[in-house]
Amino acid sequence: MTRVLDPQRLPPGSVLAASTALLTLGAVLGGLLLADVRTPPFQALDEGWGRWIASLRSPFWDGLNVVLNLAGYRGALVVHGLLVAALLLRRRTTMALFAAAAGLAVLGCTQILKAGIFRERPDNTVVLTDTGSFPSGHVASTAAFLVVMALLVGRAWAAVLAGLGVLTMMVSRTYLSAHWLVDTVGSVCLAVPVVLLLWLVFQDICIQENTDARRLLSWRARASRRRRAEEHPGSGS
């Protein structure tokens, strides 16, 4: 994990602008649902998307999406917890605190919005679900984990994979008729800015912590090589 992690500092202005835009869109969608939870202005779009993607069902895609159904919520929470544990074992205490705070904040906000808005799910869902359709817990928890990982890895490819992973989960939840399309969009509008805004608070300490850990590891490696050279002075000849 020492070599994999390379968190980068994000420009606060860009993060704030992107987060504000996403939160604003999410607030608009949530507000429209609160005003008329049964027939919001985008209900026709949701129903049209639902009919179209349901028409694509086949045994192969059914099986794949059942796996995604298991991986997207409980699976994402489990691997998120394992990430926190791994960071603690590698003495990345601040990174672990950031990862835990991001996951818990997204989970808490998701459940509060579900209970407050209480949108009904599609009638033709093919998996077991709880109450409250907006926002999607699967998409939110997946986005929280993947965005946290992308920030800690600090590479463009990690950000691309995170985006593809979130998009895959969004499609999967609508394929299974577990959520309306707008539910999945609302999840992204919640999870991504929550993680990014928390990163603004933690990023400088996390970057310094990772730098210090690398220096310590490098020092230990050099010290180990010196000890081996002293114990076996003729081994290099």
Side-chain angles (χ1 to χ4, degrees):
M1 182 172 288
T2 301
R3 295 180 179 179
V4 172
L5 298 179
D6 188 21
Q8 304 293 317
R9 191 175 191 277
L10 299 182
S14 299
V15 172
L16 290 173
S19 298
T20 300
L22 287 171
L23 287 172
T24 300
L25 176 57
V28 169
L29 296 176
L32 291 172
L33 282 169
L34 284 173
D36 187 357
V37 72
R38 293 188 177 277
T39 56
F42 43 76
Q43 187 63 32
L45 170 64
D46 277 342
E47 292 177 354
W49 173 270
R51 286 191 298 270
W52 175 76
I53 200 165
S55 70
L56 304 179
R57 286 177 181 166
S58 68
F60 172 78
W61 294 117
D62 289 349
L64 178 61
N65 280 279
V66 167
V67 174
L68 290 172
N69 179 60
L70 295 173
Y73 187 64
R74 291 180 178 84
L77 293 177
V78 168
V79 294
H80 205 132
L82 291 175
L83 171 63
V84 173
L87 290 169
L88 289 173
L89 288 174
R90 300 299 294 181
R91 293 184 173 85
R92 303 299 204 282
T93 307
T94 306
M95 288 186 183
L97 180 59
F98 159 68
L104 290 174
V106 170
L107 179 63
C109 291
T110 300
Q111 295 305 316
I112 290 171
L113 287 173
K114 277 178 173 288
I117 296 175
F118 206 77
R119 188 185 191 190
E120 294 292 336
R121 294 177 184 267
D123 293 331
N124 57 334
T125 181
V126 296
V127 291
L128 294 176
T129 56
D130 58 8
T131 56
S133 187
F134 181 95
S136 165
H138 278 69
V139 175
S141 58
T142 299
F145 171 71
L146 292 178
V147 174
V148 165
M149 280 299 302
L151 291 170
L152 295 182
V153 171
R155 291 289 185 266
W157 60 262
V160 171
L161 288 179
L164 292 174
V166 173
L167 183 61
T168 298
M169 188 56 64
M170 293 172 69
V171 173
S172 175
R173 298 316 287 165
T174 57
Y175 177 91
L176 294 171
S177 297
H179 286 280
W180 304 104
L181 176 62
V182 168
D183 300 337
T184 66
V185 175
S187 302
V188 174
C189 292
L190 166 67
V192 173
V194 166
V195 176
L196 290 179
L197 291 173
L198 281 171
W199 181 242
L200 286 186
V201 177
F202 284 94
Q203 64 177 356
D204 289 336
I205 304 174
C206 287
I207 292 169
Q208 186 60 51
E209 180 180 67
N210 196 58
T211 301
D212 293 343
R214 283 186 167 184
R215 287 173 178 169
L216 179 61
L217 184 65
S218 178
W219 178 84
R220 287 177 174 173
R222 289 196 300 269
S224 178
R225 287 195 295 269
R226 285 196 297 269
R227 284 196 301 270
R228 288 197 299 269
E230 291 170 356
E231 293 171 358
H232 308 283
S235 60
S237 59

